Amino acid sequence: MTDTTYKLAILTVSDKGSRGERTDTSSEAMRELLVQTDFSVYAYDIVPDEMELIANRLKNWADRDVIDVILTTGGTGLGPRDVTPEATLSVIDKLTPGFAEAMRMESMKITSRAMLSRAVAGARKNCLIINLPGSPKAARECLGIILPALSHAVDILRSHSAECAVND
Ligand code: MTE
């Protein structure tokens, strides 16, 4: 599908960012990459590393049935405050493990620390939710890895396509 613009939301998860103590350069890096794609950034928010706030924002966006994809950035590691995967799991209906598997597999070619990512992905209703890591470099790298499959995933989820037998 080439004539469609998909609606995407970015949720930055960062204690310091939400308090204005750190500039959110990760979402900026993601926006730069998305400019060349069929995805337009329709919504953006930044929340602290709090389960309930993350989950509520994800639910609220997904349940409006307008946003096709939510990308979170941050909070996927092993830090004491990192709860983005748990918040995501609490709101999704269907796991789509391939996105996180691909990100870890390809990112391992860049840094062995990729194995520290606990990112998850899944669908809530018609909306795909995917965790990306928090640093601008890591977020950009991981977005580049999942982008080739993203529009097809949305098409299938929204039943615009039932055919998976396509060339990349
Ligand atoms: N993936 C890529 N492609 N590049 C990276 O630099 N950093 C890793 C990992 N994934 C990294 C990456 C590191 S150091 C951590 S701790 C985890 O992502 C989790 O990051 P987060 O806590 O900022 O979400």
Side-chain angles (χ1 to χ4, degrees):
M1 195 173 281
T2 51
D3 56 349
T4 306
T5 301
Y6 301 92
K7 290 187 174 66
L8 184 145
I10 298 176
L11 181 62
T12 299
V13 181
S14 164
D15 283 334
K16 284 190 175 165
S18 69
R19 291 194 297 260
E21 294 169 12
R22 175 186 289 165
T23 309
D24 178 13
T25 49
S26 302
S27 69
E28 288 308 317
M30 292 159 67
R31 282 175 195 270
E32 281 170 23
L33 202 58
L34 288 163
V35 164
Q36 312 145 21
T37 72
D38 293 338
F39 290 87
S40 69
V41 180
Y42 177 83
Y44 164 80
D45 200 3
I46 182 163
V47 290
D49 295 85
E50 296 286 348
M51 272 278 286
E52 209 176 325
L53 293 178
I54 302 166
N56 284 345
R57 171 43 75 212
L58 294 175
K59 272 193 281 192
N60 179 278
W61 274 344
D63 292 354
R64 283 191 221 164
D65 202 19
V66 173
I67 293 166
D68 297 301
V69 177
I70 302 173
L71 299 177
T72 70
T73 170
T76 70
L78 288 162
R81 300 271 303 154
D82 288 336
V83 291
T84 306
E86 287 71 24
T88 304
L89 287 172
S90 77
V91 303
I92 60 177
D93 323 308
K94 258 184 202 168
L95 274 171
T96 54
F99 289 106
E101 287 166 4
M103 285 191 280
R104 279 188 281 271
M105 188 176 72
E106 289 302 312
S107 296
M108 283 291 292
K109 297 172 187 169
I110 304 166
T111 170
S112 58
R113 293 185 182 178
M115 71 178 90
L116 303 182
S117 156
R118 301 184 305 110
V120 299
R124 179 181 173 91
K125 299 179 182 169
N126 289 327
C127 181
L128 201 55
I129 304 173
I130 304 173
N131 299 155
L132 304 186
S135 81
K137 171 186 171 292
R140 192 185 304 111
E141 287 166 356
C142 286
L143 180 54
I145 292 163
I146 59 166
L147 264 175
L150 210 48
S151 58
H152 188 54
V154 173
D155 288 345
I156 297 278
L157 199 56
R158 291 206 173 262
S159 306
H160 294 148
S161 165
E163 280 292 336
C164 259
V166 290
N167 302 321
D168 246 342

